[in-house]
Amino acid sequence: MIKKGFLIGLLLFGIFFGAGNLIFPAELGFRAGENFYSAILGFVLSGVGIAIITLVLGTMVKGGYKNEISIKVDPKFATSYLTMLYLAIGPFFAIPRTAGTSFSIGIAPVTGNGRLPLLIFSAIYFLFAYLIAINPSKLMDRVGKILTPMFAMLIVILIVIGNMNFHAINQGEMSTAMSALKTGFLEGYNTLDALAAVSFCLIATSSIKTFGFSSKKEYIKIMTVVGIVTAIFFSTLYIGLGALGNKFSIPADVLADPDINIGTYILSKSSYELFGSFGQVFLGAMTILTCFTTTAGLIVVVSEYFVETFPKFKYKTYVNIFTLIGFAMSNFGLNTIIKISVPVLRILYPITIVIVAIIILNKFVRLSKSGMAITVILTTVFSGIEVMGSVLKVKSINSVMTLFIGGDSGFFWMNIAVLGIVLSLLMKDKIKGDSFEI
C-alpha cells in the first residue's frame, strides 16, 4: 500500500512539476527578506495545501468535478468554469509560461532577452511540441518520467549547495509577517497547481486502478499516502528554493530591468556561480527538456477536453489552435504572461476553493441546492469585482472591500463564501451529497 502510494505520488509530482514551481518560490524568497518564513508558509498553504486537497477530493467523488459542479450549481456553469480552467492551465498561461521559462533559463543567458531570439526559440519549441501532441505516444510519457527525477535531483543539489554558500541578507519588500503571509498565499496561486489538480485527479484515479486495490479502505489509504508524498516533495522544494532566493544577492540594475524575471535569474545565476558554465548549460538544457514535455502534454490534455466538451472540431484542429495561441502568448515575454495571468487566477482560485469546500461539507451535512449555487455564483461575481477594483484601482470598490474581514488583503470573497454556506445550511431545499465513491 505504501509502495503504491509512493510511486503514484512520485508520478504526480512529475506531472505537476513545471515552470511555476521553480521560479515563483525563488523570487518570493528574495522579496520576503526577514519575513521569509511567513511568506513561504503562505505559499505552501495555497500552492501545496489547496492543490493536494483538490487532488485527493477529485479522486473520491463520483463523476469527478464536472458532475459535482453540475449537481450543486448548474451544468452550464460547470462547463464554463472548467473551460476557463483548462484555458488557464493550457494555451493562455501555463503553456506559454513553460516556453518563457525555458527561454529565460536556457537561452537568454547566451543571447540576451531580445525579441528575435525569443521568436526563433519559441517557433522551434512549439513546432516540436506540435509534432508530439498531434500524435501523442508513450515516448513523451517515458521521457517526462526520466527527465523530471533527474531535473529535480539537480535542483536539490543546487538548493543544498546554494544554501551552504550564499549568505546575503536581503532587505525585502514585505514590512510585516502578516503581509508576507498574505503575499505568499496569493503568490501560491501562480503555480496553477490547484487548478491543474481538477484535471490531474483523473490520472491519479487511473493510476490506482492500474496498480490495483482490494477495497475502498485500501483505496483511501493509498490516496492518503499519495497526498502526503506529493505534499512533502513540493513543500521541501518550495522551502529550499525560497531559502536560496532569500540568501541570493541581486544587483540593482537587474532588479530595475523589467524584462528580467527574478526567479529565473536566481536559478540561472546561482547555478553559474556554483558550478560554472557547465552548471548553467546543464540547468538550461534540463529546464528546456522538462518544460517541453509539460508543454506537449498540456496541449494534448486541453485538446482532449475540448474535443469531448465541444465536439464540433476535431482533435487536430484544437491542437493547431492551442499550439498557435501558446506560441503567440509566449512571445509577450515571461513577465508579461505572469502579469496578465494574475487577475484571472485571483478569480479562478476562490471559485475552486469554494467548490472544494462545499463538496466536502455536503458529504457530511445536508445543504441547500440553491444555496450552494448562490454561494459559488456570488463568489465568482465578487471575486471579479474585487480583482477589478485592484487592477483598475477603483477607490470606491477598494474602500468598501476594506470594511470586511480580509478585504484589504484580497480575501473579501471569503466573507461572501461564508455567508453563502450559512444560507445553504438554513434554506429548505437541502440535499445530502453522495458518500465518497471510488
Side-chain angles (χ1 to χ4, degrees), residues 82-94 302 305-306 322 325:
L82 291 173
T83 299
M84 286 289 294
L85 184 147
Y86 273 94
L87 289 174
I89 66 170
F92 285 102
F93 303 139
V302 176
Y305 166 78
F306 271 79
F322 296 139
I325 293 175

Side-chain angles (χ1 to χ4, degrees), residues 27-40:
E27 180 173 356
L28 177 69
F30 174 79
R31 298 193 183 283
E34 295 179 354
N35 291 301
F36 166 71
Y37 292 105
S38 297
I40 205 66

